[in-house]
Each structure stands twice: as C-alpha cells, then as structure tokens.
Amino acid sequence: MGDRIFTRLFLAFLFFCGSVSQVFASHVMGGSATYRYLGNNKYAISFIFYKDCQNSSVALPTSFTYYIVPASSTLTFSQLNSSSNASKYQHTIKLLGGTVTDVSSANAACGSSYCTDRGYYNDTFTEGTDTTGYNVFVETSARNNAITNLALTITGGQVQNGITLSAYIPPRGTTNNSPQLTKDMTPTICVNKPNIFNAGFYDPDGDSLVFSFVYPVDLPANNTVPPKYPTINFKSGYSLQYPFGTSGYKIQMDSTTGVITAEPTSTGYYIVTIQIQDYRVNKLTHKGVLMATTRVDLEFVAVNCGSTTPPKWAIDSTYKRTVSVGQNFCFEVKSYDTIKGTSAKYYDTLTLTASGSMLGGSGSLFPKPWATFKQPDVMYENDSAQFCWTPSCADITYTTPHTVTFQVTDQHCNTITKTWSIYVKPRPFVAAPTMWAVSKLGSKYIKLTWDTIKTDTNFQQYNIYREYLGSATRSFTLVKSLTKADTATWTDSTAVNAED
C-alpha cells in the first residue's frame, strides 16, 4: 500500500507541476547525505530525513529514488530523468529496517507540542571508473510549511520549495569516508537564552573538517546541472548571519569544531544549513587537499522554556585538552541545580549525557579503543560522571580536534551544553643510537656495536637492515628486529662474502 500511494503522489506531481521531482512526505524538516567506504571500490550510501509529525500525517516512504552521476557529466536534471538515461543514473534506496524512529516526542513541560520522525535510508554502490568522481543526491519537494525564516512559495497551503541532499565521492584510487554524525539534527532550543549545539561531526579517515553556514538548497530545476543546485533566500528580516531575525542575536559557529551558539528571541521553526569541507592533510607538510563537501539541513525549533534558572557546571575550564598517543587521561564532568523542585526535600533531577565519535557504539567507524563515560547514578541536585580515553596512533589530530559534548537537562526544560576539544599529538621521536663499531669476523660474520639509548616508553624495537653492494639500485633487506632497548650488540651470522 505504501508503494502504491508513493507512486500516485509522484505521478500527480509530474502532471500538475511539469517537473520530475518526487513527493514522499510533506513537512520535511531537514536531513543529511553521508557515505562510508566498504573496500573494493564499494560504498555504503546513507540519507537521513526528518519530518514534522505534528503538522503532517503523511508518512515517510519505505523507499525512494536517488541519483548517482559522474562528476564529469554535463547532463541537466531533466536529461537525467529521460527514458534513455533514467536506468543509468537512478537508484532505489530503502528505509533501514522498514521503520521510522520518533526522535522527539511532545514535551509539554517545555512548551513544545511538536514531534519529529526520522527515516534512515541505506544502499550500496560500486564505484565506476570516471576519473572525476561521482555526485550522489536525492531531492524531494514539500519543505515544512511551518518554517519561519525562509522565503518559501506556498500554493494552496502546500510549500512548493523542496530540499536536495548531496555528497561527492572521489574517483577510484582515492578512497574516502564522508563526515559522519553522532546526534540528531532537529534540536529544540529556548528563546531568550543562549543555546549551544553540536551534532558531533567526525571524519573516520582523520581528515580535517571546516564548518561554515551556507544558504539552504532547493529542488533542482529542469535545467540544473548537478551539483549546482538552486538555493533558497531568507525572508525579509532574516539573513544567513541572523537566521533567527536581524533584530536579535547573530548565530555563531566554531569553524574547527562545528559548535553552534544560538539565541532566538521568538518561537518558531528556523532553518540553518551547515557546509562541512573535508580536507586530507599531508602528515609531513600539513598541507590539505579538499576531498569532499557535505551540506546538512538543520531545523531549530525555538520554544518558550520559562524563567527557571538552568543548572550550572560545577567545574569550569577552557574545555580544551592536548594529550599524547597512549596516554590514558580522565576528567570529571559535574553539574548542579540551585532550584528545588515541587518537593521541598529534593532539588530537580538532572540528566547528564555525552555524545562524541570516540565513544563508539554499534556501527561506529571510530577506531578502538573507545572512550568511556561512567555515571555512578542519577542524583538530585547534582550529577557527575567520569570521561576516560586512551587515544591510539589512529587518533592523531593535525588541525581538527576530536570533540565530546556533554549535556545536562532538568525537569523544567532547561538544557546546558559544553563541548570539549581534544587534540592528540604523536609520540616524540626516539633518537637513533650511535654506531660504535662494525667488526668483520671471517667471511660470514659481522658484529655490530652501538651505544644504548635512554629507556623510553615510546621505544618499540631496533630494526637492522642489510644492503647488498654492487647492485644497480640500492636495496635494503630487514635481517633482524630487537625489542630490548638496552641491547648494544648483535652479530650477523648469515652475511655472505663479508667485506670491510
């Protein structure tokens, strides 16, 4: 039944609008497009869509059409949908598990009656041989008609503007994973209070990420050549820098961590679009090469949270740490509440949570060992937990830090958030020993003697290589590895025709 309804909607839109855009749900709140490399030129493609389930009863579909187009293509969107091209570039992606997840039910205590559904869609794709890479995108009409800050075209109560989610996959031989998300992207925020939000973006390849605000993307026009999608302007009184209104506060974002600070002055549904640029950094020169660009549509729901004083952090600092590979470090996260609840005996119950790529979890691409976040229990008046992590060589940072975000909520709709930035530096180099003597003992034995190095926890082993003289090109062969730092001599008993 779901597929038949979807087909009817799709054909009706073609007939009345003269476009090839698909309609699978009204009141789309936002979403994202990501991918993961699976090996052997194969990628997992993922789309996430969020829907306003308060103002619309139309369900997210169990499947829909998306596009994979060579980056060298000059075909327009209309041409991609022609009968001769559709089978080449159109693909079907299915709802993971066949079910939609309710990610934010109504919360009367927060003055909010909205709810949000999330659909997670997944497919696999074997990359072709186009030397410029591939553009992956999906488009749908019917943005949320409750949106406050965008200049939308509404006809008969139906929004004519849509949303396009896209990602770029580099060509074969240059494997890449797109930035991944660790949190949902439809945050509820309080009016007239500073709100801090971090979606916990991370890159499984350890690439450096650069964050910026950009204009939201509309449906492709028939003459659109992907990935040049049309954008949507803001209403009068709103702008890219002031998405909550030019009479209020400017939105801010840390370009390195993606942490957003927002303070709306009126309730409403506000679209904010984030661009994430993924740079592959050379570990020696520290120069970066742009690998891909991803856009994420956020819909902030601003509500009245009341005048109750929010909880406070018991420990304040710069929220920035630099640690070494192999260093086990822990710190306490603690908050407290100063306002008693309905019972004179107890304060508010506080709930402390953590999100971040290094915490791992099912399906995580982050390398183990994962960090831990341990709470003794949920307590009245104060709440505390301990964060611990031992980073490995795979976690070394060059420009973009690892981030972990802690959030505390009380029973009066107040939320406070803090994000820690964690930089991981490599182990220091161990200086090479000085060779004291090379002694030839007959025609097959060579004795090496060197001074011992200072004992260092970063020492792993000595590697001894042999070069064969007289060959056209220089080549070295590993003949021995020694794992004790205090070793100072070794005799090669397999040398043939040893020479001084």
Side-chain angles (χ1 to χ4, degrees):
M1 177 62 72
D3 290 340
R4 289 199 294 273
I5 291 174
F6 170 72
T7 303
R8 289 176 190 153
L9 289 171
F10 180 47
L11 293 177
F13 194 79
L14 284 172
F15 179 78
F16 289 114
C17 298
S19 171
V20 291
S21 193
Q22 58 186 328
V23 180
F24 61 71
S26 59
H27 303 286
V28 172
M29 299 178 73
S32 63
T34 61
Y35 60 84
R36 295 180 296 155
Y37 183 66
L38 303 177
N40 297 321
N41 301 312
K42 194 172 185 178
Y43 285 87
I45 309 296
S46 299
F47 294 103
I48 297 178
F49 275 101
Y50 297 95
K51 185 186 81 72
D52 181 349
C53 51
Q54 176 198 359
N55 297 305
S56 174
S57 59
V58 180
L60 289 167
T62 56
S63 64
F64 58 82
T65 299
Y66 75 104
Y67 300 79
I68 301 176
V69 184
S72 60
S73 170
T74 58
L75 295 176
T76 65
F77 185 59
S78 178
Q79 291 170 330
L80 292 176
N81 288 281
S82 68
S83 58
S84 59
N85 288 326
S87 61
K88 299 177 185 178
Y89 304 116
Q90 293 184 6
H91 303 261
T92 299
I93 194 166
K94 295 183 178 181
L95 179 66
L96 185 66
T99 58
V100 172
T101 303
D102 181 8
V103 294
S104 53
S105 297
N107 186 349
C110 298
S112 171
S113 58
Y114 83 99
C115 69
T116 305
D117 285 342
R118 178 189 64 209
Y120 182 85
Y121 300 83
N122 193 48
D123 193 22
T124 56
F125 156 65
T126 299
E127 187 175 23
T129 56
D130 191 276
T131 58
T132 59
Y134 291 82
N135 291 310
V136 180
F137 71 96
V138 64
E139 49 74 39
T140 178
S141 65
R143 278 186 180 264
N144 188 1
N145 61 9
I147 292 172
T148 306
N149 61 344
L150 297 186
L152 302 177
T153 300
I154 301 177
T155 303
Q158 180 68 48
V159 177
Q160 302 303 305
N161 306 88
I163 180 174
T164 299
L165 304 177
S166 62
Y168 167 76
I169 299 177
R172 283 191 180 192
T174 309
T175 60
N176 189 53
N177 292 278
S178 73
Q180 306 291 308
L181 294 82
T182 61
K183 291 178 64 179
D184 283 311
M185 304 298 290
T186 55
T188 303
I189 57 177
C190 298
V191 297
N192 299 316
K193 292 182 180 181
N195 299 268
I196 299 175
F197 175 77
N198 182 15
F201 294 98
Y202 78 99
D203 192 283
D205 304 314
D207 293 342
S208 294
L209 304 180
V210 178
F211 300 87
S212 59
F213 294 119
V214 293
Y215 283 87
V217 172
D218 203 346
L219 295 169
N222 284 335
N223 62 353
T224 296
V225 177
K228 297 179 180 180
Y229 311 106
T231 57
I232 302 176
N233 291 322
F234 287 90
K235 282 182 180 178
S236 176
Y238 301 88
S239 69
L240 188 64
Q241 292 77 27
Y242 291 87
F244 305 109
T246 52
S247 61
Y249 299 96
K250 183 178 180 180
I251 192 170
Q252 299 179 38
M253 180 168 60
D254 188 310
S255 62
T256 302
T257 64
V259 174
I260 297 173
T261 302
E263 187 172 352
T265 56
S266 301
T267 60
Y269 295 76
Y270 300 93
I271 293 295
V272 174
T273 304
I274 300 173
Q275 176 177 276
I276 306 106
Q277 294 175 299
D278 169 7
Y279 286 89
R280 183 69 46 83
V281 178
N282 185 296
K283 294 177 174 59
L284 295 178
T285 65
H286 289 191
K287 292 183 178 180
V289 175
L290 181 63
M291 301 295 293
T293 299
T294 304
R295 288 172 179 246
V296 176
D297 256 37
L298 291 161
E299 184 169 310
F300 285 92
V301 182
V303 299
N304 285 311
C305 299
S307 58
T308 305
T309 304
K312 295 183 179 181
W313 295 105
I315 302 173
D316 201 357
S317 69
T318 59
Y319 297 95
K320 179 180 177 180
R321 290 286 184 92
T322 299
V323 298
S324 298
V325 167
Q327 175 186 344
N328 176 260
F329 76 101
C330 299
F331 58 84
E332 184 184 34
V333 181
K334 189 174 182 179
S335 64
Y336 68 93
D337 194 23
T338 59
I339 305 299
K340 287 188 177 182
T342 56
S343 170
K345 183 178 179 180
Y346 297 117
Y347 288 79
D348 246 352
T349 298
L350 304 182
T351 302
L352 174 60
T353 58
S355 61
S357 56
M358 71 283 289
L359 291 165
S362 177
S364 173
L365 298 180
F366 197 86
K368 294 183 178 180
W370 294 332
T372 59
F373 184 64
K374 296 181 179 180
Q375 295 173 278
D377 52 29
V378 177
M379 303 176 64
Y380 296 104
E381 185 181 359
N382 62 71
D383 199 8
S384 65
Q386 188 178 57
F387 175 88
C388 293
W389 186 35
T390 304
S392 66
C393 290
D395 304 320
I396 294 172
T397 56
Y398 295 93
T399 54
T400 301
H402 300 286
T403 60
V404 56
T405 299
F406 304 102
Q407 179 173 286
V408 177
T409 57
D410 63 16
Q411 292 178 309
H412 291 82
C413 193
N414 288 302
T415 299
I416 59 173
T417 303
K418 282 293 184 182
T419 296
W420 287 73
S421 296
I422 303 172
Y423 293 85
V424 180
K425 62 182 182 180
R427 295 185 177 103
F429 287 105
V430 178
T434 301
M435 187 73 68
W436 288 116
V438 178
S439 305
K440 184 168 76 76
L441 308 175
S443 61
K444 291 179 59 179
Y445 297 91
I446 297 177
K447 183 179 181 180
L448 308 178
T449 305
W450 61 87
D451 64 337
T452 58
I453 63 172
K454 181 181 179 181
T455 302
D456 193 297
T457 56
N458 295 324
F459 174 84
Q460 291 185 319
Q461 62 188 24
Y462 295 113
N463 286 333
I464 300 175
Y465 296 84
R466 179 193 296 141
E467 179 185 10
Y468 291 92
L469 301 177
S471 59
T473 57
R474 301 189 68 178
S475 62
F476 297 85
T477 302
L478 177 66
V479 293
K480 187 66 176 180
S481 294
L482 304 169
T483 58
K484 293 184 177 180
D486 58 356
T487 302
T489 184
W490 178 73
T491 299
D492 182 0
S493 61
T494 60
V496 178
N497 299 323
E499 297 180 6
D500 291 330

